[in-house]
Amino acid sequence: MAFRVVRSARFLSSASGGDGAAKLWGGRFTGSVDPLMEKFNASIGFDKRMWREDIEGSKAYAETLERCGLLTKHEVSEIKRGLDLVAEEWKTPSGLALKGSDEDIHTANERRLTEIIGAGIAGKLHTGRSRNDQVATDVRLWLRNQIDELRKDLVQLLQTTVSRARHEAHILMPGYTHLQPAQPIRWSHWLLAHASAWERDLDRLERVRQSVNVMPLGSGAIAGHSFFSPADRQWLAKRLNFDKVSSNSMDATSDRDFIAEFIFWASMTGIHLARWSEDVIIYATKEFGYVGLSDAYSTGSSLMPQKKNPDASELLRGKSGRNIGNLITVMTMLKGLPMTYNKDLQEDKEPLFDCVDTMRGCLPIAAGVMATLTCRPEKMQKSLSGDMLATDLADYLVRRGVPFRETHHVAGRAVRLADEKGVELTKLTFEDLKPLHKAFESDVIKVWDFNNSVESRNAEGSTSLRAVLEQCDKLEARLKRAA
Amino acid sequence: MAFRVVRSARFLSSASGGDGAAKLWGGRFTGSVDPLMEKFNASIGFDKRMWREDIEGSKAYAETLERCGLLTKHEVSEIKRGLDLVAEEWKTPSGLALKGSDEDIHTANERRLTEIIGAGIAGKLHTGRSRNDQVATDVRLWLRNQIDELRKDLVQLLQTTVSRARHEAHILMPGYTHLQPAQPIRWSHWLLAHASAWERDLDRLERVRQSVNVMPLGSGAIAGHSFFSPADRQWLAKRLNFDKVSSNSMDATSDRDFIAEFIFWASMTGIHLARWSEDVIIYATKEFGYVGLSDAYSTGSSLMPQKKNPDASELLRGKSGRNIGNLITVMTMLKGLPMTYNKDLQEDKEPLFDCVDTMRGCLPIAAGVMATLTCRPEKMQKSLSGDMLATDLADYLVRRGVPFRETHHVAGRAVRLADEKGVELTKLTFEDLKPLHKAFESDVIKVWDFNNSVESRNAEGSTSLRAVLEQCDKLEARLKRAA
Amino acid sequence: MAFRVVRSARFLSSASGGDGAAKLWGGRFTGSVDPLMEKFNASIGFDKRMWREDIEGSKAYAETLERCGLLTKHEVSEIKRGLDLVAEEWKTPSGLALKGSDEDIHTANERRLTEIIGAGIAGKLHTGRSRNDQVATDVRLWLRNQIDELRKDLVQLLQTTVSRARHEAHILMPGYTHLQPAQPIRWSHWLLAHASAWERDLDRLERVRQSVNVMPLGSGAIAGHSFFSPADRQWLAKRLNFDKVSSNSMDATSDRDFIAEFIFWASMTGIHLARWSEDVIIYATKEFGYVGLSDAYSTGSSLMPQKKNPDASELLRGKSGRNIGNLITVMTMLKGLPMTYNKDLQEDKEPLFDCVDTMRGCLPIAAGVMATLTCRPEKMQKSLSGDMLATDLADYLVRRGVPFRETHHVAGRAVRLADEKGVELTKLTFEDLKPLHKAFESDVIKVWDFNNSVESRNAEGSTSLRAVLEQCDKLEARLKRAA
Amino acid sequence: MAFRVVRSARFLSSASGGDGAAKLWGGRFTGSVDPLMEKFNASIGFDKRMWREDIEGSKAYAETLERCGLLTKHEVSEIKRGLDLVAEEWKTPSGLALKGSDEDIHTANERRLTEIIGAGIAGKLHTGRSRNDQVATDVRLWLRNQIDELRKDLVQLLQTTVSRARHEAHILMPGYTHLQPAQPIRWSHWLLAHASAWERDLDRLERVRQSVNVMPLGSGAIAGHSFFSPADRQWLAKRLNFDKVSSNSMDATSDRDFIAEFIFWASMTGIHLARWSEDVIIYATKEFGYVGLSDAYSTGSSLMPQKKNPDASELLRGKSGRNIGNLITVMTMLKGLPMTYNKDLQEDKEPLFDCVDTMRGCLPIAAGVMATLTCRPEKMQKSLSGDMLATDLADYLVRRGVPFRETHHVAGRAVRLADEKGVELTKLTFEDLKPLHKAFESDVIKVWDFNNSVESRNAEGSTSLRAVLEQCDKLEARLKRAA
């Protein structure tokens, strides 16, 4: 059998019959360029925000080329002068004037530099450098700067929280499990519970910074660098304040772990903000009434002035989905990619940028909500009900040697007794309790005190005043280390 | 014990000491407004792209209010005149001039309408309508329009594919499982395999349209509409070409199923494009060499002119992550939300818009790649190796009554025999095969023909010419129904 | 340069020196089999639950082979007898006794069949069938059965809900937006809001069933079927109650869309259960107190008898994550897979099975919670506060021709007036209101009635009694169609 | 208006009419227990695998209670004796005999301990401990152990890889970008590229271990511990080899960050295994032919002996979805949860266990594939084509002072010249090249050597022999630190 060879080219030209694939598809172009493809392919629309880091990296790179003898002192000086002028143009309100061929930030900056200082010198800047290692370097520099800002934002939230916790440590409130009142706690203990999660976020952010702060520059397109001596990358890394250099040039150009790690950080921090916001939204309901949101972070209604919608907290809760979605975007993109650079990797930047923007929005808003939240101790106190002290009654017996499981049953019987008598548990007298267990003595009624209850929990991390202030001390010390 | 009541207000004012939470948090504002919050809260930056649907919905709504006797004919006419002028402003290059208080598209349009026709009439437009049902309506109208465009894009891709499949049905190639050559197939069978997946995407898109095309308008903020008669919503729905009205006002204002459904559609379609792109990228390698990408959809290198990077296919593959990420964004946001409207729901639009933009980019690019892909039949034919006919040898015996599992073993022995003789399987003669099984007759050597192999698979959906053309017929009939 | 050829075989044997890769890796095996690999590769541990469908499919397949003349009537009869005996063994408490070589359900059933009826006939059963089309068929048959069960579970939940909604339609409660009280609604309106979401889930489930109910059998390994006539697959599909046959054999063996669609259904339904559970958990708090969970679906404490943890609702909420996770598992697995069958596809079954199990657990539990939930109308009524009628005051003015935006401001002034007087809004008299707007007349005080408020919202889908009962009617009619 | 109070109880009892919700829902139980709920609620089915850690934790806890004076030396001794007997029962093939009331591992162990040593002493073990802090402790202990095993598995994979890389460092192969050949590299450079990713996974795993190794025990149900002195938790932590104690009791019982962190580790490691597997699958195709999979990790076919399906690599690739899915399961579950313990948190264990099992399966399989992979240097060498040296030609000119961008164009012209002459680039002589640029000298033809090309890339992390062996040295040093 003879195969009928139908080359696409012929196939296309024969499409004049009216039913060919080319016509169906639209025949957008006659020449070799599909205008849609240019837009599809270009990254300048989003990667231009790294202009500063691209220029910073190029200056340091030029200096290293001088070290290798590939550029003269004069050439480096010209390149730096030119790059400074490019930077000036970026700083104007409208930014650098882009041309159609500027498909990414690297081409744009090099094109403009060439216009300013001429191709003779500008054409040497990229010696041994490829866009593969250049973009990886730019993203790391840019993200490192953003992480430093985010760390400040997170520290501010933590400082605001611990400051409140210290000042308001005397306020008691019901502690919940399953959203059912369980045991009395300090309001500050609740604040510090959330701060503990954010402190882990701070630890994680500092670890992410280490993962980010590795220099891929000098890896070339894939196989490494032909002109650097073994030591040059270390010198360049120090020049750009990187902690270390990447270990393998193929990996270096296709590694996006640091982006996934950062987005995971954002996801976890976002989840913590969402959990805290859920608490705030519930505590701010008319029915709970424990906290009031500042007007600055809620919207009212001229029609229903008593209605104050906790918009800020709802957005903080809702935006948690965004980070997690971005994590999936990046992970799905990475899954199954062959080594080394593939164009798919260009899809890493928009989710990264969105996470950075989201968190730089969320953290200051969270700090603002935290600082301005009204606390209503009288409402909280009113919600402390006697049966929340049943555990304390059991603990009383434990202290007198009764096995824990038995004390549990005795306390249960006391609660039922109060119920039968139609009184609060705390109204039971020594005489009421005596028949329930021989270990009860007259001092048992001291159990009926929410403050005593809270104070009795004095182990590290517990809700007694001492333990809460100890938490404040430790957290403040931690924050000092971060600042 | 006396609780020390520390109200946030006092707490803030007492913060002058230097360590208060307010100072730590930055004290961005002295009055009641945090400028960051305005930005955090506003949706106008992204929801303004629905300006057209917002206006369209308002016009129809005004007509319904006239039907209810709440607006006069003149008032409706004024409102429509005003809205048309607002639309004109949106159509200018810079769009409607926004003001600081325009937090979303609804407020912006109403504000401008009021400026144009005065508050006396404009102030009546929102009678019985809330932003909760209005935004849900706008999104549905907007998405319905986008779906109609996407359907065209998808049909174009399918038409391009089926047209190629019909024209190039005589080309044979190796069919792969586990990326290992398995059996000879028609090139068109491979094309139609991907088309089958896209056909399901078309079915799903049409079903999503039905889910989208339900009208929430007339649900008010939560409890329903106070002025509409029972029949008015049906009238309004017909006016706006909705298939039906939502059944419950609380659900209607907080239902985002249709958005998740649409993003799921985009996710599945994206996965199909990614699988096809993976095939194209592998077939376009130097080593496989079955297809060549048009210059329009790849990038070359002046340095390495033989290198043609399949950028379009890589981006199609990489962008699959984006849709799935957006699905997670929306689902995570929805998870655990109490009834009914919560501000979290505002986070639905950006992922939706991103998915629409992504797919409106991807589908035409995919059609372009499909139309311009060069097919290399000679390379494919060269890759058809004799051992791919081992199954056909077994089938020969099956036709002569030998149990399938036994034929399998006999064919395996034939492959090993060829290996021992150092020849291709297809070089084995009747004499070679005779000793392996008594059922072999002299016509067995007709098995050694790739075309016969392909033609023998003639059941519905198989790779014979008849079966492949039948697939083309059915798909074309399906596309006619869609057009 | 001479390449130093280090074949893995030599490499391994030379590893005796002590530092070779083989030793490091553990040298688990001396022969050709790694015992860990057998376990890694086998699917029998989970796919055996499809034994019934595997046998059902084989019987129908044998009949089709008879139709093609490849099996005699006697052979088919023997195969069916044998398969029935295999089925009997599966039905025993310990199930079919598996052997080490039974790597999946297909091999296990065929192996056992061969032992029972002999290889002469059993060896013919797989003629033209591969595991690729067989497993795809089994999963579809199995899932179709499960969907039919899930549909019943979902209908039961809906019936329970609509029955409550009809019986309890007179109970009023506060309706919430942003978890802040907004307007009075019927308790049944809230029930039906959730039912509306579940009704969409029912629609979606029926659509998923259509996607599932397509027969891949007859597609062979990849290229189609060599023995079936064009019509045989249609006959076989009818025999197995499939709606239609798959259109392309390559696609048929690697298509997992129907699994993703099902898991998406489970994800959306899970999200709806989570949103309802969130409402239930909040309404069941001591602070809201609107509902009480039955002891059957909550856990108490002998110590704190008043504490009733809403375990069932919390698990329903928490399990929503599971379905979404499974969706990601399947989508990530599919992303970037080349055509056609790849072993990766084996990873489809565990997430599918987990989703089916999760939903078959969740739906009956949800129905149980729904049926036994205690409703506390007195608590609800107590929470209806006067300011929730501010909208109604505005509506009163609208009915008298005042522009909506103006009525809004007047109502706001009334609320503030009540606040200044220190009374509930509903205590304002006609005399109080008169100065606020000239359109107020003496009948304005009829506005101060929650029932009137609810009844005034009478459009389709609103909260008036008529509208609510209409919702019940429509939903019941829908359920009748499903049953 | 009088609300018609319809209590669920009455509602249920009135359901006898035939249409009540209870009947519709099935009326599974007459008493207070729904048998489905017990199954839905219980975790013993999966959490029993932590029996060892539960017992270990209890022993240490008993010692701490002795320290506090709440248990005598004898009581502790009895408890430890009893727990050892419980452990013996777990170690039997059938494990501890469970009873219906054993809803989780903690109840099961306590119940059995009570049976063995009596309630008098056993009833004291849980003094001050709740299931909330106990389960969090058990999971951390269990996961810490698993991490130690996983670390060994990962180190083994890395050692296998680096050992191959060192032994096979002389083999050259084409390096790919966009799956198109780009530059010659060492095969070992490719191996080390993947090892670099796995090294990061090792770093991350060690960091996760630190996050896991924090002790929640002593946090009680929510508010802390009533009997421990401030120092007791530190003592207990040391006893159980925890690095530190949790800082806040509310956070401690509801923090699941460490689980998400671990699953993120598994997700990233899984993605790296998937990327490596993608490379292996492509390199193992007939068309590339660079590697051959051992029979131990692939499946053949008696019919098509030449076909070797890379099952192990496909499963490694496919299973990447599973970890990411589990990450979403846990994150979605956590999103929006109020403080502190909620039953939703029980859903953390199955995804965690699945990830541990998946990775403990994947890592040894990956090491096995790595150790037994056949490398085919002759195939690789054959694929090194002359145009891959175009960059080297440009580099030659750079070394002679020609600006990089210009050298790029000259090299491109050389490639076209070779094309016009119909020869490989490497066949161009000095005479051919001379006209293209004045900087060419007779030594230019030394560029036409793949080994020279590879050796010229000698910066840190590049592909020269020195640089590759340096990578091996560093990696081995790193692994020594891990062991």
Side-chain angles (χ1 to χ4, degrees), chain B residues 195-242:
Chain B
S196 293
W198 296 327
E199 189 184 348
R200 281 192 300 278
D201 293 326
L202 182 60
D203 293 345
R204 258 190 296 270
L205 186 61
E206 292 178 351
R207 294 199 303 247
V208 173
R209 195 188 190 281
Q210 291 171 20
S211 298
V212 170
N213 207 21
V214 175
M215 187 188 76
L217 201 53
S219 296
I222 162 170
H225 205 286
S226 304
F227 306 103
F228 280 1
S229 74
D232 285 334
R233 292 187 68 217
Q234 292 291 346
W235 186 89
L236 175 54
K238 191 169 284 178
R239 171 68 181 74
L240 287 167
N241 291 315
F242 280 110

Side-chain angles (χ1 to χ4, degrees), chain A residues 207 211 255 257-258 261, chain D residues 197-210 261 264-265 268-269 272 478:
Chain A
R207 292 197 304 246
S211 299
D255 163 30
D257 285 16
F258 68 101
E261 267 190 58
Chain D
W198 296 327
E199 189 184 348
R200 281 192 300 278
D201 293 326
L202 182 61
D203 294 344
R204 258 189 297 269
L205 187 60
E206 292 177 350
R207 293 198 303 247
V208 173
R209 195 187 190 281
Q210 291 171 19
E261 266 191 57
F264 175 72
W265 168 82
M268 290 312 297
T269 307
H272 295 148
R478 168 70 180 86

Side-chain angles (χ1 to χ4, degrees), chain B residues 203-417:
Chain B
D203 293 345
R204 258 190 296 270
L205 186 61
E206 292 178 351
R207 294 199 303 247
V208 173
R209 195 188 190 281
Q210 291 171 20
S211 298
V212 170
N213 207 21
V214 175
M215 187 188 76
L217 201 53
S219 296
I222 162 170
H225 205 286
S226 304
F227 306 103
F228 280 1
S229 74
D232 285 334
R233 292 187 68 217
Q234 292 291 346
W235 186 89
L236 175 54
K238 191 169 284 178
R239 171 68 181 74
L240 287 167
N241 291 315
F242 280 110
D243 290 338
K244 53 180 181 172
V245 304
S246 59
S247 56
N248 176 288
S249 60
M250 293 176 73
D251 172 61
T253 50
S254 74
D255 163 30
R256 295 298 184 268
D257 286 15
F258 68 102
I259 290 180
E261 268 191 56
F262 174 80
I263 301 184
F264 175 72
W265 168 81
S267 298
M268 289 312 296
T269 306
I271 286 173
H272 295 147
L273 292 176
R275 291 191 70 176
W276 173 61
S277 297
E278 173 86 358
D279 272 1
V280 168
I281 291 164
I282 290 171
Y283 293 173
T285 57
K286 202 179 154 192
E287 291 75 9
F288 277 76
Y290 296 164
V291 300
L293 278 160
S294 155
D295 289 346
Y297 298 105
S298 52
T299 53
S301 153
S302 60
L303 184 60
M304 301 176 67
Q306 83 297 345
K307 195 165 191 295
K308 215 186 256 187
N309 299 329
D311 293 75
S313 297
E314 290 174 292
L315 285 169
L316 287 172
R317 184 176 60 186
K319 281 179 189 289
S320 64
R322 197 156 182 142
N323 298 314
I324 305 178
N326 284 326
L327 184 59
I328 288 301
T329 299
V330 169
M331 285 184 154
T332 310
M333 179 269 284
L334 288 174
K335 182 255 168 173
L337 272 201
M339 279 280 159
T340 57
Y341 187 82
N342 302 277
K343 190 78 171 187
D344 318 50
L345 290 169
Q346 182 170 298
E347 290 288 310
D348 62 346
K349 267 172 281 316
E350 283 167 288
L352 172 66
F353 292 169
D354 187 61
C355 272
V356 167
D357 293 342
T358 298
M359 295 315 290
R360 291 200 64 185
C362 286
L363 288 169
I365 294 292
V369 171
M370 179 60 87
T372 59
L373 203 62
T374 312
C375 169
R376 302 199 179 111
E378 66 293 350
K379 260 286 214 176
M380 294 172 176
Q381 191 177 19
K382 232 174 100 183
S383 293
L384 291 170
S385 57
D387 47 78
M388 295 176 72
L389 297 174
T391 316
D392 297 273
L393 189 67
D395 285 353
Y396 173 92
L397 293 171
V398 163
R399 287 198 171 83
R400 272 144 196 86
V402 186
F404 177 71
R405 286 292 179 222
E406 190 185 338
T407 67
H408 201 82
H409 295 130
V410 176
R413 282 202 297 276
V415 175
R416 275 191 298 279
L417 176 64

Side-chain angles (χ1 to χ4, degrees), chain C residues 55-61 63-64 80 144 215 233-242:
Chain C
I55 286 174
E56 180 191 356
S58 284
K59 283 169 151 187
Y61 191 73
E63 291 174 16
T64 320
K80 288 164 90 169
R144 190 180 68 189
M215 187 188 76
R233 293 186 68 215
Q234 292 291 347
W235 186 89
L236 175 54
K238 191 168 286 179
R239 171 69 181 72
L240 286 168
N241 291 317
F242 279 110

Side-chain angles (χ1 to χ4, degrees), chain C residues 3-4 7-8 24-25 34 156 163 167 297 317 319 322 343-344 347 350 367-368 373-374 381, chain D residues 3-4 7-8 19 24-25 34 156 167 297 311 317 319 322 344 347 350 367-368 372-374 381:
Chain C
F3 290 110
R4 185 177 147 227
R7 279 197 164 273
S8 170
L24 293 168
W25 146 77
D34 176 357
Q156 188 193 44
S163 168
H167 282 82
Y297 299 105
R317 183 176 61 184
K319 280 179 190 290
R322 199 158 180 141
K343 190 78 172 188
D344 319 50
E347 290 289 310
E350 284 167 287
L373 204 61
T374 312
Q381 191 176 19
Chain D
F3 291 110
R4 186 179 145 227
R7 281 200 163 270
S8 171
D19 61 351
L24 293 167
W25 146 77
D34 177 355
Q156 187 192 45
H167 282 80
Y297 298 105
D311 293 76
R317 184 177 60 187
K319 280 178 190 291
R322 199 158 181 139
D344 318 51
E347 291 288 309
E350 284 167 288
T372 61
L373 203 63
T374 312
Q381 191 178 20

Side-chain angles (χ1 to χ4, degrees), chain C residues 170-188:
Chain C
H170 293 91
I171 303 171
L172 300 195
M173 71 181 292
Y176 293 83
T177 58
H178 307 268
L179 222 53
Q180 299 285 326
Q183 293 177 337
I185 54 160
R186 296 191 179 278
W187 152 256
S188 296

